[in-house]
Amino acid sequence: MLIPRTRTVGLAALSALLASGLAACGASSSTTASSGAPKNIVIGTLYSGSGSFANSSLPEFQGLKFWIKEENAAGGVYVKAFNKKIPIKLVALNDQSSTTTATTLYEQLVTQDNINIFVPDFGSVLTLPAVTIAEEHHMLLFDQTATGAPLFTPGNKYIVLCDLPLSVIWPDPLAHFILAKHIARVAIIYGANDFDATQAATVKSVLAQGGITPVYYQAVPTTTTSYGTLLHDIAATNPQAVIELGYASNDIPFLQAVHQGGYHFGMVMTAFPGQQFSLIEGAVGKAGLSYTYTYGVPPYIKFNTVSEGLGTNAFISKFGGGNIANVSFENVAGYNTGLIIQAALAHATKFTQLSMRAALFGLSGHFTTLDGAFQLNSEGGQVGELLPLAQMLPTSSGNAIKIVYPPASADHSAVYPAP
Amino acid sequence: MLWLFALIAGILFGLYYALAALGLNLIFGVMRMVNLAHGDVIMLGGFAAVLLFDRLGINPLITVLLVIPPSLLVGFVAYYLLGTRVQRSRDPEMMSLVMFFGVSQVVEALAVIGFGNNEASITSAVFGSKPFSIAGQGVPGAWLVSAGVGLAALILLFVYLYHTGLGRATRAIMSNADEARAVGVNPDRISAITFGIGVGLAAIAGIFSLFMIGGTTPSEGVGLTVTAFAVIVIGGLGSPMGTFLGGIVFGLALMFTQTYAPVWSGFAPFAILLVIMLVRPTGLMGRSVRSV
């Protein structure tokens, strides 16, 4: 169908008008008071109420809701552009862990729900559709936990990573630990996705600088749940360290396979026990997790001196009733996303998406929360919150997560090789 | 010897996959119904084992016996509530797809409410923490138990179908329901029993999914149904013995690919499925079960 040129120009003008309206923080008629300040700051987000990402998405969502509840109890979030506190309204939709559903719902949030703040669901897979939509509609995406490097590109001004460092720098302490321990035979098995592949490439690259070539380096489908044969093949290469980089749904069968196959390696490392400790220990048993390594994350790394929000101990007390077992990393991440939004609104001189972005770049390197130092690279990727290496060490009441590397962050010596 | 381990693992996993698919094929063979909620029943079997182990310390092998009576009952009732309506429709196969897709969604939603979204499992040490040696290869005890139960289920089903009156009636319906009815067989009664057996086999497979695929979550039903469906298509729709063969082919394809080309391991079993469909559309041991 041909569209007349005048109509095309008209459509373009209308699109530009709509885009500029969204860029002005989506200050819709339904929420704008006569003073120009909105009645509510509308945060739009997705969560996975079911499906494979639910066990990470729901606790992250709980953390965000906790922040909103705290702010609203104090009269709302402070918005510098209007010099007043404004209550927060949450629009949350369930994508059921489906990228197709998520894409539709992200469009709905941005085009129909008049949101001011755009927060995607957990992880790279469900965040990816939001990146394009945010850029198209000039909405700043407060990316919570999607850390894959391909999400961040030089031309995209509309994304800021809030709660985790870019996945490419996650394994830096891990790789340096291997070099420091003079571990020469390393096996790496990783999921065939951006998140895991970038980590594996980083480990391989750092090891290469120390003259080490992995004795096993293989990608497997992200859906892999049986590792017995793969482990047998890995064991045949006689490795001292076995690194499995996957999601929690990979880590559980991998650790089970190590245990049930009777394999013994000097070092076994998986990515998610630090983030989902109770879940994974419950699934693989205490013995299955003992002496294995993982990324150290809050709340097991504590930041009690912070420039915004609650410190780690205060958060554990208020959110988890004083019991760290009731607090997961995803809870911290969701709450921290709220703190980043809070900081953006508190420092942006105008109530626009790019002004919020500018405020966050101004805070970069000068801002600490219970999630660590907030520091952005030029593409909006998080580079401040480094993940030290942690080891699960058996105690009389189960395993305890101890930070073992780098030495500056360590609260315990690594037990290597594992007994 | 990597190939020898892959061979042994492939056969053991194949017997597990056969167990996981057996109930689906039995129901299809007798009723021409595609139970898309089959994987959800496997998932429920897994959760039953976890709950009984965590709360009462019941060994998963005992759970196998415990899940059979309620599964038979649920299957029996489900057939009269849903299956009879499907059977009376103009196109039972299509109707069953729609009906059981809905059942699958409901079961998943209820499982989320009942069990939460987290992965649940049992430590594999319950079947011993040291591997057993087969042909010089160390094999986890849990694999042997799973494969042994799969083989036992297959043998018992064979005995049931070929050496009992109910089994003969079941085969009569599989062959031709109208002729079976003409000689006094009650298709609804036999179908209800068969549906119960199918549900029971799926629930038993769910118990061992904890050890073969690492755990269970409410959302895993669809994936398990797809795997089970691939196994019965490879072996032959409507052929219980074909399911055994289909499971072995699927298991071997998976384990050999994991050994020699891991990144293709999610692809290879389904590529074999496509090849078999092209070369032998009825499956390895199938017969023509659909009329055009």
Side-chain angles (χ1 to χ4, degrees):
Chain A
M1 186 176 69
L2 289 173
I3 300 174
R5 182 175 166 74
T6 50
R7 194 179 162 199
T8 311
V9 173
L11 283 172
L14 183 61
S15 301
L17 198 64
L18 284 171
S20 64
L22 285 166
C25 280
S28 69
S29 58
S30 62
T31 57
T32 307
S34 56
S35 65
K39 290 177 187 169
N40 298 296
I41 298 297
V42 184
I43 296 178
T45 192
L46 302 189
Y47 65 95
S48 302
S50 59
S52 55
F53 292 105
N55 59 14
S56 296
S57 171
L58 285 173
E60 192 173 71
F61 183 50
Q62 285 170 354
L64 181 65
K65 285 198 295 186
F66 174 76
W67 170 76
I68 292 171
K69 189 179 165 190
E70 291 276 297
E71 289 301 297
N72 281 342
V77 63
Y78 175 71
V79 183
K80 184 178 184 180
F82 303 112
N83 193 28
K84 64 186 285 194
K85 284 189 169 187
I86 300 175
I88 303 163
K89 180 183 169 189
L90 179 65
V91 178
L93 307 173
N94 181 0
D95 59 38
Q96 301 172 325
S97 299
S98 158
T99 50
T100 312
T101 307
T103 304
T104 307
L105 294 179
Y106 284 137
E107 284 281 356
Q108 181 182 322
L109 284 176
V110 170
T111 60
Q112 295 173 44
D113 292 326
N114 299 312
I115 60 171
N116 307 115
I117 305 288
F118 189 18
V119 179
D121 201 340
F122 167 87
S124 297
V125 174
L126 291 171
T127 298
L128 190 59
V131 175
T132 315
I133 291 168
E135 191 177 11
E136 276 176 9
H137 294 277
H138 297 173
M139 292 288 298
L140 181 62
L141 190 68
F142 288 85
D143 170 8
Q144 303 195 85
T145 42
T147 61
L151 274 68
F152 302 88
T153 51
N156 183 6
K157 298 176 185 172
Y158 294 94
I159 184 168
V160 169
L161 177 52
C162 298
D163 306 323
L164 279 170
L166 291 167
S167 60
V168 72
I169 59 176
W170 281 33
D172 202 59
L174 161 68
H176 283 99
F177 173 81
I178 291 170
L179 293 176
K181 289 288 179 187
H182 305 291
I183 300 171
R185 299 187 65 81
V186 181
I188 300 170
I189 182 169
Y190 62 97
N193 58 71
D194 286 339
F195 169 64
D196 295 317
T198 50
Q199 293 176 66
T202 298
V203 178
K204 189 179 180 187
S205 168
V206 175
L207 292 182
Q209 292 166 21
I212 294 172
T213 303
V215 292
Y216 183 96
Y217 186 80
Q218 287 287 355
V220 294
T222 307
T223 51
T224 299
T225 53
S226 60
Y227 284 88
T229 302
L230 292 161
L231 269 167
H232 180 267
D233 301 341
I234 288 170
T237 65
N238 195 25
Q240 296 163 286
V242 179
I243 315 297
E244 186 267 327
L245 299 168
Y247 288 98
S249 56
N250 305 114
D251 292 355
I252 290 172
F254 174 82
L255 289 166
Q256 278 202 336
V258 171
H259 196 49
Q260 71 178 195
Y263 295 107
H264 184 78
F265 307 107
M267 174 184 187
V268 172
M269 189 273 175
T270 54
F272 274 81
Q275 297 181 40
Q276 300 187 343
F277 178 65
S278 302
L279 167 71
I280 295 179
E281 189 178 61
V284 306
K286 287 169 184 166
L289 211 52
S290 290
Y291 298 107
T292 67
Y293 296 75
T294 188
Y295 294 121
V297 291
Y300 297 102
I301 315 170
K302 295 192 188 320
F303 296 96
N304 288 313
T305 306
V306 294
S307 47
E308 195 83 55
L310 300 171
T312 306
N313 288 343
F315 184 75
I316 292 169
S317 173
K318 210 160 186 180
F319 183 89
N323 186 355
I324 195 170
N326 295 334
V327 181
S328 70
F329 166 73
E330 284 83 2
N331 295 143
V332 173
Y335 175 70
N336 191 62
T337 302
L339 296 181
I340 304 301
I341 294 168
Q342 181 179 322
L345 291 169
H347 291 85
T349 52
K350 294 178 188 170
F351 190 50
T352 65
Q353 301 290 320
L354 287 181
S355 184
M356 284 194 283
R357 179 181 188 269
L360 290 177
F361 273 81
L363 289 167
S364 174
H366 311 288
F367 183 67
T368 304
T369 68
L370 78 171
D371 203 30
F374 178 79
Q375 191 173 345
L376 300 173
N377 67 11
S378 60
E379 294 165 0
Q382 179 65 245
V383 293
E385 302 163 354
L386 292 179
L387 302 181
L389 186 65
Q391 187 175 24
M392 265 69 67
L393 296 174
T395 67
S396 56
S397 57
N399 288 299
I401 298 182
K402 297 291 182 185
I403 306 300
V404 295
Y405 196 85
S409 311
D411 56 15
H412 203 281
S413 298
V415 180
Y416 177 84
Chain B
M1 284 192 289
L2 299 181
W3 68 268
L4 182 57
F5 188 88
L7 180 69
I8 294 167
I11 291 169
L12 296 177
F13 268 80
L15 285 166
Y16 163 73
Y17 285 126
L19 174 64
L22 209 49
L24 182 66
N25 209 5
L26 186 66
I27 289 169
F28 181 83
V30 173
M31 289 159 258
R32 302 291 183 269
M33 292 196 305
V34 182
N35 179 11
L36 286 184
H38 182 79
D40 298 282
V41 178
I42 295 177
M43 173 267 292
L44 290 176
F47 273 111
V50 172
L51 286 177
L52 290 172
F53 181 79
D54 283 351
R55 301 200 177 168
L56 302 172
I58 294 176
N59 187 292
L61 274 176
I62 307 293
T63 304
V64 170
L65 302 174
L66 294 178
V67 299
I68 290 173
S71 301
L72 286 171
L73 184 64
V74 167
F76 199 86
V77 172
Y79 175 77
Y80 279 107
L81 280 176
L82 306 173
T84 50
R85 286 167 174 76
V86 172
Q87 295 285 58
R88 282 198 291 268
S89 67
R90 286 184 184 175
D91 186 349
E93 285 178 35
M94 181 53 71
M95 182 65 180
S96 67
L97 283 172
V98 176
M99 175 84 82
F100 288 109
F101 174 75
V103 171
S104 168
Q105 297 300 301
V106 169
V107 171
E108 181 181 334
L110 290 175
V112 169
I113 293 167
F115 308 124
N117 279 293
N118 290 338
E119 185 134 353
S121 195
I122 296 173
T123 171
S124 52
V126 73
F127 293 127
S129 55
K130 289 190 175 174
F132 291 82
S133 181
I134 297 180
Q137 306 294 311
V139 176
W143 291 11
L144 290 174
V145 175
S146 300
V149 171
L151 190 61
L154 201 72
I155 292 168
L156 287 172
L157 185 65
F158 184 82
V159 171
Y160 169 76
L161 287 174
Y162 289 89
H163 295 90
T164 69
L166 279 174
R168 278 189 286 274
T170 305
R171 285 192 294 124
I173 294 173
M174 288 169 89
S175 179
N176 190 311
D178 291 333
E179 288 178 10
R181 189 180 286 110
V183 295
V185 174
N186 181 344
D188 276 342
R189 178 170 160 267
I190 298 299
S191 295
I193 292 169
T194 304
F195 205 89
I197 293 171
V199 168
L201 287 167
I204 292 169
I207 295 165
F208 296 101
S209 69
L210 304 175
F211 311 104
M212 303 304 273
I213 59 173
T216 186
T217 63
S219 58
E220 74 177 2
V222 174
L224 287 167
T225 301
V226 170
T227 300
F229 202 71
V231 167
I232 66 173
V233 171
I234 290 171
L237 284 167
S239 164
M241 294 311 292
T243 306
F244 165 73
L245 197 56
I248 298 292
V249 169
F250 195 92
L252 288 172
L254 180 64
M255 293 306 152
F256 272 95
T257 321
Q258 280 200 345
T259 299
Y260 294 108
V263 76
W264 296 100
S265 57
F267 164 81
F270 294 96
I272 287 177
L273 165 71
L274 283 176
V275 170
I276 288 175
M277 282 295 90
L278 290 171
V279 176
R280 190 175 163 82
T282 56
L284 293 175
M285 290 184 69
R287 56 197 164 83
S288 182
V289 291
R290 303 182 76 231
S291 55
V292 179

